[in-house]
């Protein structure tokens, strides 16, 4: 059994027992017709997978919550049209609930709270409407021009915590402007100038772990090494990451991937260690068909990038390192108290990471982006929970703490640019300086920022992009 993050759609027919009691054959015939002519094709068009069906309902898995919501809106709007000529007492009307969360995969079936919450949301839904979880609403609010009503926190059966519920009534769906409905049918974004496309692919690591990677832009390849807390679908349209990805893909084919245990890559994997991270980078660049490319490491991705560049100097044209270190938090701890503090954080991650209340994750947010506004901080709090399970977050944290590439620094033979925020609250500035000092010929650029993840609104962001473009300004294909 494995875990992964997915969007789950649960649907059933309102008053199914009554309909069957009144006209069993007619109800079955009508339901099959709707399935054949609308529902099944709509799910396929929106890239969903039907996991199971019951007499009056179904459970469907989507890789994208945007696709799941778009599919639900598509079905409910078309059902209104199909029911126009049908007597009220014979109409097939669906209720649909959608959640995005961690699921357990066992063969072709799925289990877990991610599934259970979707099923409970369906029961809270009014006939012909749609209910989604707070997590799902966070992921679609800037991507679909559809506003769900906040129905507050709801206690649901067999779920220990209250669930934030957002609803769209049947009348709301029917009254959607044609432009919004068309965008939803196509799974499209809110109209505007920010829409752009990325390709998502999958490849298999040496130990069988599935890794997800994305490609955008054109030009000489620039690869961003996978690191903790990413999700190549959900961070793609965020206010924090979107400007970074657009800037790095403006002149290059930009390729990034989710490290094992993160995002769309396999969750609950058997092993997470530094050697796995390096091997996974090898797998991704081979799967992407890259012979030579520039390599960008961020945070713990810097150590992985260094190890790869030493092993494959003929393939790496340029090495760009931001906010990184050569020695992980556990090995650079100088006192027993520092080591115990680090271990305490790992324990807290295991028990507090997945909670609905973001109080614990706010601690990490205040380290990664202390200069964020409320909207950015709220997004980052929720993104942490979405990007990785508590167990995977802890395992990634431990593996990163054990990293040490100090002995490899003198062996780096490719042009290297190292940047680090001067007041970085997550990784000490001194760690970046020492890393740069150990790499022969490396150029070191301090950035005036307190953020580990440089925010688009600060001058350091423009400086970062300018330095990267200048560094890659030569013809790196030769």
């Amino acid at each position: 059994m494995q875990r992964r993050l997915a969007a789950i759609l649960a649907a059933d027919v309102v008053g199914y027992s009554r309909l069957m009691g009144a006209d069993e054959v007619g109800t079955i015939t009508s339901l099959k017709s709707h399935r054949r002519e609308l529902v099944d094709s709509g799910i396929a068009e929106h890239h969903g997978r039907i996991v199971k069906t019951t007499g009056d309902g179904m459970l469907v898995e989507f890789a994208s919550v945007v696709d799941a919501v778009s599919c639900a809106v598509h079905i409910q709007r078309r059902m209104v049209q199909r029911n126009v000529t049908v007597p009220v007492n014979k109409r097939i009307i669906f209720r649909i609930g959608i959640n995005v969360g961690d699921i357990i995969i066992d063969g072709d079936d799925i289990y877990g709270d991610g599934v259970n919450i979707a099923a409970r949301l369906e029961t809270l839904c009014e006939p012909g409407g749609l209910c989604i979880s707070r997590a799902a609403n966070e992921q679609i609010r800037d991507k679909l021009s559809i506003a769900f009503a906040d129905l507050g926190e709801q206690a649901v059966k067999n779920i220990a915590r209250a669930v934030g519920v957002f609803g769209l009534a049947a009348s709301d769906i029917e009254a959607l402007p044609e432009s919004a409905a068309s965008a939803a049918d196509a799974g499209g974004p809110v109209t505007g100038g920010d829409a752009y496309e990325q390709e998502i692919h999958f490849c298999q690591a040496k130990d069988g772990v599935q890794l997800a990677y994305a490609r955008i832009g054109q030009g000489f390849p620039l690869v961003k090494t996978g690191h903790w807390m990413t999700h190549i679908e959900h961070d793609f349209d965020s206010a924090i990451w979107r400007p970074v990805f657009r800037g790095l893909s403006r002149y290059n084919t930009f390729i990034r991937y989710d490290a094992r245990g993160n995002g769309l890559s396999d969750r609950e994997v058997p092993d997470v260690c530094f050697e796995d991270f390096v091997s996974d980078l090898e797998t991704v660049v081979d799967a992407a068909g890259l012979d030579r490319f520039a390599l960008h490491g961020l945070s713990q991705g810097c150590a992985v990038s260094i190890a790869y560049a030493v092993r494959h100097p003929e393939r790496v044209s340029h090495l760009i390192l931001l906010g990184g270190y050569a020695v992980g938090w556990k090995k650079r701890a100088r006192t027993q108290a520092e080591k115990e503090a680090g271990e305490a954080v790992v324990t807290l991650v295991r028990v507090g990471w997945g909670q609905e209340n973001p109080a614990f994750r706010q601690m990490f947010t205040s380290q990664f982006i202390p200069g964020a506004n409320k909207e950015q901080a709220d997004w980052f709090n929720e993104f942490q929970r979405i990007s990785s399970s508590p167990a995977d977050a802890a395992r990634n944290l431990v593996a990163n703490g054990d990293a040490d590439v100090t002995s490899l620094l003198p062996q780096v033979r490719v042009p290297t640019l190292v940047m680090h925020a001067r007041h970085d609250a997550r990784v000490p500035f001194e760690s970046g300086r020492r890393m740069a000092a150990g790499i022969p010929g490396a150029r070191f650029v301090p950035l005036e920022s307190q953020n580990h993840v440089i925010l688009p609104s600060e001058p350091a962001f423009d400086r970062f992009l300018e330095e990267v473009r200048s560094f890659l300004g030569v013809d790196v294909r030769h």
Side-chain angles (χ1 to χ4, degrees):
M1 292 186 292
Q2 292 185 334
R3 291 179 180 269
R4 65 168 171 257
L5 188 74
I8 305 301
L9 181 153
D12 74 347
V13 176
V14 178
Y16 183 70
S17 297
R18 174 186 57 79
L19 291 168
M20 289 289 285
D23 184 0
E24 189 173 84
V25 174
T27 298
I28 293 175
T29 301
S30 180
L31 184 55
K32 284 185 175 181
S33 174
H34 293 313
R35 283 276 316 266
R36 181 177 63 253
E37 299 170 10
L38 170 63
V39 178
D40 289 6
S41 60
I43 291 170
E45 289 168 7
H46 291 86
H47 316 294
R49 177 181 75 91
I50 299 175
V51 178
K52 65 174 71 172
T53 60
T54 57
D56 66 331
M58 64 174 57
L59 190 67
V60 187
E61 177 191 0
F62 294 83
S64 161
V65 69
V66 172
D67 281 340
V69 173
S70 299
C71 181
V73 170
H74 168 82
I75 290 171
Q76 295 293 47
R77 280 178 66 86
R78 296 301 180 272
M79 284 303 298
V80 171
Q81 300 168 5
R82 294 172 70 91
N83 277 326
V84 168
T85 59
V86 180
V88 174
N89 64 335
K90 292 187 176 182
R91 290 177 179 175
I92 300 289
I93 299 175
F94 295 112
R95 300 182 300 180
I96 300 177
I98 294 174
N99 179 45
V100 58
D102 202 46
I103 62 172
I104 300 171
I105 303 96
D106 186 9
D108 291 330
D109 212 345
I110 57 177
Y111 305 92
D113 276 359
V115 177
N116 295 337
I117 291 175
R120 301 310 175 199
L121 290 170
E122 170 212 293
T123 65
L124 298 174
C125 184
E126 74 165 53
L130 170 61
C131 277
I132 66 176
S133 64
R134 183 178 303 278
N137 189 65
E138 287 292 325
Q139 297 307 312
I140 67 154
R141 64 181 182 180
D142 295 326
K143 301 174 185 176
L144 293 175
S145 48
I146 301 174
F148 282 75
D150 189 344
L151 304 182
E153 301 289 319
Q154 303 275 350
V156 296
K157 184 178 178 182
N158 295 332
I159 302 296
R161 64 184 184 279
V163 176
V165 180
F166 288 74
L168 201 62
S171 57
D172 296 329
I173 295 175
E174 190 174 359
L176 282 173
E178 191 58 39
S179 58
S182 297
D185 280 353
V190 179
T191 57
D194 288 337
Y196 61 110
E197 296 294 329
Q198 70 171 352
E199 298 175 6
I200 294 179
H201 303 274
F202 293 88
C203 57
Q204 189 172 74
K206 294 178 181 178
D207 59 356
V209 172
Q210 293 289 337
L211 302 171
Y213 68 95
R215 183 194 302 261
I216 181 177
Q218 294 182 337
F220 186 77
L222 170 61
V223 176
K224 176 174 169 285
T225 300
H227 54 82
W228 186 34
M229 286 196 302
T230 66
H231 193 299
I232 58 173
E233 179 197 3
H234 293 305
D235 59 14
F236 185 63
D237 287 322
S238 73
I240 292 175
W241 287 112
R242 179 176 61 239
V244 180
F245 301 154
R246 298 195 74 171
L248 294 177
S249 64
R250 184 173 181 181
Y251 302 107
N252 298 90
T253 297
F254 182 53
I255 295 171
R256 61 198 176 93
Y257 64 96
D258 288 328
R260 57 178 58 210
N262 289 263
L264 290 180
S265 292
D266 277 351
R267 306 289 186 93
E268 300 297 330
V269 294
D271 296 303
V272 178
C273 67
F274 183 78
E275 283 302 314
D276 290 325
F277 295 150
V278 180
S279 177
D280 290 347
L281 173 55
E282 293 172 333
T283 296
V284 170
V285 296
D286 287 344
L290 305 181
D291 294 323
R292 187 165 168 79
F293 53 90
L295 186 58
H296 170 36
L298 170 64
S299 193
Q300 64 266 27
C302 291
V304 178
S305 300
I306 288 168
Y308 182 93
V310 169
R311 296 180 191 183
H312 307 280
E314 76 287 351
R315 301 185 70 175
V316 180
S317 64
H318 288 63
L319 190 58
I320 303 165
L321 307 175
L322 172 64
Y325 50 82
V327 182
W329 62 266
K330 188 174 183 180
K331 291 192 175 182
R332 68 173 178 257
R334 297 180 179 178
T335 66
Q336 184 61 30
E338 288 179 346
K339 291 180 181 179
E340 291 177 356
E343 295 294 346
V345 170
V346 174
T347 300
L348 287 173
V349 167
R350 288 195 180 101
V351 299
W353 192 261
Q355 294 179 6
E356 189 81 13
N357 188 316
F360 170 74
R361 297 188 299 279
Q362 177 61 40
M363 178 186 73
F364 283 89
T365 299
S366 65
Q367 291 181 333
F368 278 85
I369 46 174
N373 59 34
K374 185 180 184 304
E375 181 181 357
Q376 290 169 329
D378 288 346
W379 181 88
F380 202 80
N381 282 338
E382 180 61 19
F383 182 70
Q384 292 175 59
R385 187 174 69 85
I386 290 173
S387 66
S388 185
S389 71
D392 282 322
R395 282 187 284 193
N396 272 266
L397 193 56
V398 169
N400 294 324
D402 288 332
D404 188 350
V405 295
T406 306
S407 63
L408 299 181
L409 298 181
Q411 302 177 47
V412 176
R413 293 291 182 266
V414 301
T416 303
L417 171 65
V418 181
M419 291 176 280
H420 208 107
R422 195 179 293 278
H423 307 290
D424 193 326
R426 178 66 185 171
V427 176
F429 179 77
E430 181 64 11
S431 294
R433 189 194 69 80
R434 285 183 175 274
M435 183 174 65
I439 299 175
R443 179 166 177 254
F444 183 60
V445 178
L447 299 175
E448 293 300 328
S449 175
Q450 61 180 331
N451 297 305
H452 184 58
V453 176
I454 306 299
L455 296 174
S457 57
E458 56 184 329
F461 178 81
D462 292 333
R463 176 73 186 280
F464 162 70
L465 288 181
E466 288 170 3
E467 291 291 346
V468 171
R469 289 167 184 168
S470 176
F471 187 56
L472 298 179
V474 296
D475 188 355
V476 293
R477 279 163 280 198
H478 300 291

